[in-house]
Amino acid sequence: MSKIVLSRIDDRLIHGQVMTAWVQHVGGNEIVIVDDKVAKDPFLSAVITGAVPKHLNAHAMTVDDAAEYLEKIKDEDKNIIILAKGPKVFLDLLEKGVQVKEINLGGMGSTQERKKLYKNISASDEERDMLKQLSAQHVHVYIQVVPNMETVEINKIL
């Protein structure tokens, strides 16, 4: 039975913290990157999924394709890690019937639209509203950059 072992917002997608800490911590064996732009760019998709160790499967998919794929593989024995750059992807996945129970907010860098949310994590007003919407849909949203760090509940800082 496939299960989502980690849903993470991190605008860096694949990087050292995901590969060295989180994959081992949650026992993930497949990574689904949900990002329309990455999925539609074969070069970018190859670069990002190519950063994954050989023992892991990695796919870059659009929101629609990811929802369809996750439904299709639900009876297979996979531990899925879902990576997305922002909260909107998870709102869209929920709308399409994907059962997301919790979201780890690991990294959202600073931009012109974003202001500091917590330490080095930033969010725009729109992203803050989306995080509130996720919580209102009973999705546990928390900040935890790496597994050995303390968790911070998003509702306490929004």
Side-chain angles (χ1 to χ4, degrees):
M1 187 69 144
S2 282
K3 62 183 172 211
I4 298 170
V5 295
L6 178 67
S7 297
R8 182 174 167 95
I9 296 171
D10 194 323
D11 55 16
R12 298 166 293 178
L13 297 174
I14 300 288
H15 61 90
Q17 288 171 343
V18 171
M19 292 298 91
T20 59
W22 285 108
V23 169
Q24 286 182 323
H25 182 72
V26 300
N29 57 20
E30 185 163 332
I31 297 174
V32 177
I33 297 164
V34 186
D35 186 284
D36 289 0
K37 182 180 175 186
V38 172
K40 292 175 181 177
D41 182 331
F43 177 75
L44 188 55
S45 178
V47 168
I48 291 174
T49 59
V52 174
K54 301 254 185 273
H55 69 281
L56 295 172
N57 290 322
H59 317 279
M61 300 181 183
T62 64
V63 170
D64 290 337
D65 290 344
E68 192 176 302
Y69 177 74
L70 292 167
E71 175 62 27
K72 185 177 94 176
I73 64 159
K74 68 181 181 186
D75 293 328
E76 295 179 26
D77 187 24
K78 297 184 180 196
N79 290 335
I80 306 293
I81 295 173
I82 299 176
L83 298 176
K85 290 182 179 181
K88 179 159 183 3
V89 166
F90 290 104
L91 285 171
D92 293 345
L93 288 173
L94 282 168
E95 188 177 295
K96 294 182 180 308
V98 176
Q99 299 296 310
V100 178
K101 294 180 173 55
E102 62 180 32
I103 298 170
N104 169 290
L105 177 50
M108 288 175 32
S110 182
T111 66
Q112 264 188 320
E113 299 83 36
R114 290 177 174 167
K115 56 186 180 231
K116 183 178 176 177
L117 176 65
Y118 179 80
K119 294 188 178 180
N120 61 343
I121 296 172
S122 300
S124 68
D125 290 339
E126 184 180 21
E127 289 166 329
R128 289 167 193 261
D129 287 342
M130 289 178 200
L131 292 167
K132 289 175 186 173
Q133 290 174 45
L134 287 163
S135 289
Q137 293 185 45
H138 308 290
V139 176
H140 176 218
V141 183
Y142 61 95
I143 295 171
Q144 188 176 22
V145 179
V146 290
N148 62 352
M149 284 183 67
E150 188 176 328
T151 62
V152 176
E153 300 300 322
I154 198 71
N155 291 332
K156 292 183 178 177
I157 59 172
L158 281 176

